[in-house]
């Protein structure tokens, strides 16, 4: 790598590191225990959602070009060999333009909203669901 490219790479890495420092997560508040999300390659939007505890309806709209689904799982990813805890059933596979909903009973805490198709979760298709009293 030439000196100019190395300098550019180091500057870009420093800018990324500084951008993450001190940033606070802003939660989208879901009204009436109804959460609406959009699924696309490889995102769940909004990414951070807050909702009151109890029976929650999650509605997903596939606005992408690939098939997607949605499941509610434990917040922390399990270590290798551990089973991931799920809450309710995963949503059916949604083709582009389709929507579906699932109902789950959740206690206060943090949960992950993930696409369980192939490695979509590993590619960044997940969100955070913060359940409060």
């Amino acid at each position: 790598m030439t000196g100019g490219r190395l300098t550019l790479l180091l500057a870009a890495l420093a800018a990324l590191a500084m951008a993450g420092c001190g940033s606070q997560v802003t939660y989208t508040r879901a009204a009436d225990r109804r959460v609406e999300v959009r699924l696309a390659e490889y995102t769940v939007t909004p990414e951070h959602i807050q909702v009151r505890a109890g029976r929650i309806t999650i509605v997903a709209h596939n606005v992408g070009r690939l098939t997607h689904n949605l499941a509610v799982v434990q917040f922390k990813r399990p270590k290798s060999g551990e089973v991931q805890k799920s809450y309710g059933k995963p949503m059916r596979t949604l083709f582009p333009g389709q929507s579906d909903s699932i109902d789950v009973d959740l206690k206060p805490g943090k949960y992950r909203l993930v696409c369980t198709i192939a490695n979509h979760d590993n590619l960044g298709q997940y969100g955070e669901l913060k359940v409060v009293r």
Side-chain angles (χ1 to χ4, degrees):
M1 186 174 285
T2 65
R5 285 187 180 173
L6 181 58
T7 301
L8 184 60
L9 176 63
L10 291 175
L13 289 174
L16 285 172
M18 288 174 42
C21 293
S23 63
Q24 272 195 316
V25 172
T26 302
Y27 288 90
T28 299
R29 293 177 190 250
D32 301 326
R33 294 190 178 98
R34 181 179 172 92
V35 173
E36 296 229 13
V37 297
R38 293 177 309 283
L39 307 175
E41 292 74 44
Y42 293 99
T43 62
V44 173
T45 307
E47 187 176 358
H48 301 282
I49 306 163
Q50 181 175 307
V51 66
R52 287 185 36 236
R55 188 164 185 81
I56 298 163
T57 299
I58 301 172
V59 181
H61 308 281
N62 184 353
V63 297
R65 296 183 324 262
L66 302 175
T67 57
H68 299 291
N69 72 358
L70 198 71
V72 180
V73 299
Q74 69 194 52
F75 181 70
K76 292 191 176 188
R77 295 183 99 176
K79 295 178 182 172
S80 180
E82 291 180 345
V83 175
Q84 179 166 268
K85 183 170 178 163
S86 294
Y87 301 87
K89 290 182 179 179
M91 194 172 284
R92 69 181 172 91
T93 298
L94 301 176
F95 290 90
Q98 289 184 324
S99 299
D100 196 11
S101 66
I102 55 173
D103 292 319
V104 289
D105 286 309
L106 298 176
K107 296 178 181 177
K110 285 187 180 179
Y111 303 85
R112 283 172 57 93
L113 299 175
V114 300
C115 180
T116 63
I117 295 175
N119 64 338
H120 291 192
D121 182 20
N122 292 333
L123 293 172
Q125 191 168 12
Y126 58 85
E128 178 183 321
L129 184 63
K130 181 178 180 183
V131 179
V132 298
R133 292 194 187 279

